[in-house]
Amino acid sequence: MSEKEVILSIRDLYVNFYTYAGVVRAINGVDLDIYKGEVFGLVGETGCGKSVTSRAITRLITPPGRIEKGEIFYKRNSEVIDLLKIPDEEIRKIRGDEISYIFQDPTSSLDPLYTSGFQIAETMVVHDKAEWNEAWKKAVELLKETLIPDPESRVKNYPHELSGGMRQRVVISIALSNDPKILIADEPTTNVDVTVQAELMDLLKELQRKKGTTIILITHHMGLIAELTERVGVMYAGNLVEIAKVEELFENPLHPYTQGLMAAVPNPLQKIERLIPIKGSVPNLIYPPPGCRFHPRCPKAMPICKEKRPPRIEVSPGHFVECWLYVSEEEWEGKNNE
Amino acid sequence: MAGMGRYLVRRAITFIPTVFGVLFITFTIAFLMPADPARVWAGGQKASPQVVEKIRKMYHLDEPFWAQFYYFTRAILTNSIYSPVTHNLVSEEFMRRIPITLNLAIMAMFMIVAMGIPMGIVAALKKDTAVDNAVRILALIGYSTPSFWIAFIFMWVFYNELGWMTLVGLPRPSEMITGIYILDALLLGEWKIFIEINRRLLLPAFILAFILVGGLARYVRNTMLDVLSADFILFAQAKGLPPFRLWRHALKNSLIPVVTVVFFMFGGLLSGAIITETVFGIPGLGVLYFAAISNLDIPVIVLSTLYAGLIVVIISLIVDILYALIDPRVRL
Ligand SMILES: Nc1ncnc2c1ncn2[C@@H]1O[C@H](COP(=O)(O)OP(=O)(O)OP(=O)(O)O)[C@@H](O)[C@H]1O
Ligand code: SF4
Ligand SMILES: [Mg+2]
């Protein structure tokens, strides 16, 4: 892996939710590059902004949410477009075609009033990939590829007639129907049992190997991260606090939050429910802590942490961290005078 | 729909206890009323004791509760219930009047749906704006305004001042097809009669509609907002569906709960018709019922309530069948 090509780069992304209780500052300046053909993992406690970040990529933020600012550059063949600036119709054409999603809860992702075949075929038809007749035939093919038994009759089933695992396969078929360049899988295996989980993951792995699809995998499962991903981003309270190659992250976590996370999950096959060694809980994002958002819970917090947001430092090639501990004295001065 | 026939039979059987329950409860309430119906039927205070006594015997009013209930039920089954006040066969009277009330209710329902559903959709789209608040206020006014009061205001404006409406007579089309005047006039293409029926019934129908239209609009709005925030709509968006397709998914899903409410509103309209018909002097069921209450005409009161119960049961049957047709999750 020498010269890697960036397919997606998120710059300075801010997303707010305007609720009755106040403005939820959910995504607070996220920078991230995704390389073509890689599997990138995104981890973090519940509510830290993984789903919102991934949805913001194709502007799937609905009121009361709003993308405040930022740029999301998408490299398509030789041109680079900012997904946050293009017209609605353009982003509509990219969704489900070049960039597709598998959402967190598969059981509620399907419209209960239409057959699974219709919902798969529809995805191809709206992107002019096929006429209805042909799309139906392709739907059967896709279900076969996702290992649904008896796909010819399954296409005629309504979602309530399918098991949770099968519904998830239908959702995956929809996501794969137009051969996406980027697949965003948001906890694709929650709510299905363990054996089905493993099968679905093999399916994604296979896909990535065969077609070179870029995958962003959001999960609570450190096991899946270890097994499937090449690089990992760790989110905390709307910030991407550390990015590293997966081995590097497991062996040498730099951010105190990541360290806590690793300590909390001695066995990477365990699910992160709660971080026992890190006291306190995720802050209220309406009144986020000033400076480093992690400081109220950080065992290594220093005075500056309460005042100024830490800059992003590349500690070693490809290993980024947002923490004052890794800012050298002279840089510190520099940052302070900015 | 192979199961439809079997389903209908099964449902028809469950009708029997429901209808019998309605009969028993209304009859019991009527029986417990602290009044002497025989005296009222004989002509009130001035009635001679002999006549009162004769009436009491004739209607078994001197017998215990169970005997009275038995005679009444038997009379229903043999279709021999006569009003002691008007001396008409009640079922005949009912059949004569029901098309008129249904006519009024159908017109009102048409207006409620034609106005309420678009209003609800717009309110959902323009959530928390002036439009949404206007619908909210309309619903509140509809619920809380006495219908007779609006009726008088409207009469004054549209009849006295503008003269657009008539307040007497109800023209009939030359033939009966469905039995509902306005539909038959439409089917026969008798436009003059159609317009006349509208001049007579549009105002009362609108008043009935006015009470409920805001409520339906609010219901449509809330259902629509629920559906729009459902995961599958976001996923449909993530699939790259164009707006008209998103709308199709959203509307079809919103339709299902709305169908139920619309049909049950129909039941509400029939009871709402009592006051409106009385105020406008429309010879429908409402007037019959109103008169029966004023005259302590117990057979008519009990039987009308029974018919109303039957209508509600039939409506719920229609709702079930419609559900099975539009919602794949429901099997009969
Ligand atoms: N519709 C909404 N209204 C208000 N706040 C929202 C909304 N959606 C998300 N948020 C806020 O955005 C933040 C990030 O949410 P997000 O769903 O991205 O978390 P997540 O990391 O995906 O969590 P999980 O692991 O539970 O899926 C949360 O703190 C939440 O409060
Ligand atoms: S910046 Fe300070 S508070 Fe934040 S993680 Fe680093 S040491 Fe802890
Ligand atoms: Mg999430």
Side-chain angles (χ1 to χ4, degrees):
Chain A
M1 249 200 273
S2 53
E3 272 308 290
K4 288 175 297 182
E5 190 189 340
V6 173
I7 188 166
L8 195 70
S9 52
I10 302 177
R11 287 289 170 271
D12 211 24
L13 179 68
Y14 284 79
V15 180
N16 290 349
F17 287 88
Y18 294 84
T19 66
Y20 288 115
V23 182
V24 181
R25 296 173 200 284
I27 305 300
N28 182 41
V30 159
D31 283 297
L32 175 64
D33 286 336
I34 302 289
Y35 298 112
K36 196 171 174 182
E38 75 170 337
V39 182
F40 184 85
L42 202 53
V43 296
E45 277 167 292
T46 200
C48 67
K50 306 182 294 293
S51 298
V52 172
T53 304
S54 71
R55 286 171 192 180
I57 293 171
T58 60
R59 310 212 302 243
L60 283 174
I61 302 293
T62 47
R66 204 169 82 196
I67 298 173
E68 292 301 318
K69 67 172 195 173
E71 286 143 329
I72 296 177
F73 298 110
Y74 167 55
K75 183 150 191 265
R76 167 208 249 175
N77 306 324
S78 56
E79 54 166 349
V80 175
I81 46 180
D82 183 349
L83 298 180
L84 299 186
K85 304 268 177 336
I86 59 177
D88 286 349
E89 179 59 10
E90 289 303 305
I91 196 80
R92 202 272 297 161
K93 284 184 183 154
I94 288 174
R95 289 176 191 152
D97 182 3
E98 293 171 55
I99 302 179
S100 70
Y101 288 86
I102 300 169
F103 279 163
Q104 207 156 341
D105 184 0
T107 51
S108 57
S109 289
L110 297 174
D111 185 330
L113 303 185
Y114 290 89
T115 59
S116 59
F118 178 90
Q119 297 187 54
I120 300 170
E122 187 181 34
T123 320
M124 292 178 257
V125 171
V126 298
H127 292 292
D128 301 320
K129 292 297 165 74
E131 294 295 322
W132 279 104
N133 263 340
E134 198 190 330
W136 271 92
K137 280 184 210 129
K138 257 201 88 185
V140 177
E141 288 301 307
L142 281 160
L143 289 183
K144 206 175 283 169
E145 274 175 47
T146 50
L147 305 176
I148 287 196
D150 193 15
E152 285 84 2
S153 66
R154 290 289 166 246
V155 285
K156 294 185 211 115
N157 283 149
Y158 288 93
H160 73 278
E161 297 166 325
L162 302 170
S163 69
M166 276 206 259
R167 268 184 256 182
Q168 185 63 310
R169 284 163 210 259
V170 173
V171 169
I172 293 175
S173 302
I174 290 171
L176 301 184
S177 56
N178 293 321
D179 277 335
K181 301 276 181 297
I182 302 176
L183 174 66
I184 298 173
D186 190 348
E187 306 195 32
T189 56
T190 37
N191 298 335
V192 292
D193 64 60
V194 185
T195 49
V196 180
Q197 244 175 50
E199 271 177 36
L200 293 179
M201 281 303 152
D202 287 342
L203 211 73
L204 291 183
K205 232 180 343 192
E206 180 79 9
L207 167 81
Q208 199 263 339
R209 227 193 40 226
K210 265 201 330 222
K211 303 200 170 149
T213 312
T214 308
I215 298 179
I216 299 176
L217 176 67
I218 299 171
T219 180
H220 276 122
H221 254 269
M222 291 312 252
L224 292 180
I225 292 288
E227 189 188 342
L228 290 173
T229 66
E230 289 149 44
R231 292 191 311 132
V232 187
V234 180
M235 285 200 77
Y236 181 79
N239 294 332
L240 198 52
V241 296
E242 185 163 3
I243 304 171
K245 287 216 180 71
V246 64
E247 310 81 29
E248 172 91 3
L249 193 85
F250 275 98
E251 279 160 27
N252 182 26
L254 296 179
H255 197 279
Y257 174 70
T258 317
Q259 291 168 354
L261 218 108
M262 294 302 166
V265 196
N267 171 4
L269 291 170
Q270 223 169 43
K271 209 178 158 185
I272 320 172
E273 293 287 359
R274 214 159 55 85
L275 293 179
I276 304 120
I278 309 177
K279 61 179 196 311
S281 56
V282 188
N284 171 347
L285 296 182
I286 296 175
Y287 304 104
C292 171
R293 285 185 170 188
F294 187 55
H295 84 250
R297 297 170 77 188
C298 181
K300 297 177 183 162
M302 303 168 287
I304 190 171
C305 303
K306 298 188 180 70
E307 280 152 33
K308 291 197 66 146
R309 183 174 169 179
R312 179 174 287 187
I313 302 292
E314 187 166 9
V315 176
S316 59
H319 193 161
F320 299 90
V321 63
E322 289 179 9
C323 170
W324 283 114
L325 290 174
Y326 304 95
V327 182
S328 65
E329 205 87 21
E330 49 286 15
E331 273 173 319
W332 194 327
E333 292 297 313
K335 301 283 177 200
N336 249 341
N337 296 337
E338 254 170 30
Chain B
M1 289 286 126
M4 188 72 95
R6 204 147 21 98
Y7 171 78
L8 285 178
V9 172
R10 214 170 55 217
R11 273 301 291 260
I13 292 169
T14 64
F15 278 12
I16 296 165
T18 313
V19 171
F20 190 79
V22 171
L23 172 65
F24 182 74
I25 291 168
T26 15
F27 187 84
T28 309
I29 292 171
F31 179 84
L32 293 175
M33 265 195 294
D36 184 358
R39 179 170 295 277
V40 179
W41 298 344
Q45 296 301 338
K46 304 184 296 287
S48 73
Q50 294 90 327
V51 177
V52 173
E53 203 45 45
K54 217 174 122 198
I55 287 178
R56 197 164 280 150
K57 276 256 158 348
M58 207 165 117
Y59 289 94
H60 307 285
L61 295 176
D62 50 351
E63 292 186 42
F65 174 79
W66 288 110
Q68 286 193 35
F69 186 62
Y70 164 74
Y71 286 123
F72 194 81
T73 312
R74 198 182 62 177
I76 293 176
L77 294 175
T78 56
N79 191 24
S80 53
I81 295 216
Y82 289 84
S83 160
V85 179
T86 63
H87 307 288
N88 289 333
L89 186 62
V90 178
S91 61
E92 253 174 27
E93 176 96 43
F94 194 84
M95 290 318 284
R96 203 165 42 242
R97 287 164 181 269
I98 193 161
I100 297 172
T101 301
L102 278 180
N103 193 140
L104 191 62
I106 288 171
M107 285 171 72
M109 204 68 244
F110 183 80
M111 289 186 220
I112 292 174
V113 169
M115 295 188 290
I117 290 181
M119 267 162 45
I121 292 173
V122 171
L125 286 182
K126 307 266 173 207
K127 181 175 169 250
D128 297 328
T129 63
V131 181
D132 189 16
N133 284 328
V135 170
R136 202 184 305 246
I137 290 167
L138 180 77
L140 219 82
I141 294 176
Y143 278 138
S144 48
T145 315
S147 54
F148 62 86
W149 184 78
I150 321 173
F152 287 133
I153 301 274
F154 277 34
M155 269 189 206
W156 178 65
V157 173
F158 292 100
Y159 175 75
N160 288 29
E161 298 298 313
L162 296 171
W164 292 353
M165 298 294 160
T166 49
L167 286 179
V168 283
L170 185 59
R172 288 161 160 263
S174 58
E175 265 177 76
M176 286 288 148
I177 301 169
T178 60
I180 310 292
Y181 297 176
I182 195 158
L183 295 182
D184 291 346
L186 263 178
L187 289 173
L188 295 166
E190 296 177 352
W191 301 112
K192 265 187 76 141
I193 304 233
F194 179 74
I195 290 169
E196 280 307 307
I197 295 172
N198 272 312
R199 267 165 60 95
R200 179 72 169 106
L201 294 183
L202 209 58
L203 210 52
F206 181 79
I207 285 160
L208 277 177
F210 180 77
I211 300 169
L212 294 171
V213 71
L216 180 67
R218 286 291 292 168
Y219 188 78
V220 169
R221 170 203 183 265
N222 292 341
T223 313
M224 194 83 198
L225 286 178
D226 272 355
V227 170
L228 285 177
S229 69
D231 284 356
F232 66 81
I233 292 294
L234 189 69
F235 188 65
Q237 220 176 333
K239 277 161 67 171
L241 297 195
F244 84 91
R245 278 191 182 276
L246 283 176
W247 274 103
R248 247 183 47 184
H249 283 276
L251 284 177
K252 197 167 173 191
N253 276 278
S254 310
L255 184 69
I256 288 176
V258 169
V259 164
T260 329
V261 169
V262 164
F263 272 85
F264 282 103
M265 275 187 170
F266 199 77
L269 282 179
L270 294 181
S271 62
I274 295 175
I275 293 173
T276 313
E277 283 183 359
T278 308
V279 172
F280 282 88
I282 297 164
L285 281 183
V287 175
L288 178 73
Y289 203 69
F290 189 81
I293 292 171
S294 324
N295 297 327
L296 217 63
D297 190 344
I298 290 171
V300 171
I301 296 174
V302 175
L303 221 59
S304 302
T305 312
L306 187 68
Y307 289 138
L310 210 61
I311 289 173
V312 170
V313 170
I314 290 170
I315 286 175
S316 73
L317 182 73
I318 295 173
V319 168
D320 281 357
I321 292 170
L322 277 178
Y323 250 52
L325 292 178
I326 53 181
D327 190 341
R329 287 165 295 188
V330 177
R331 285 275 163 276
L332 295 180

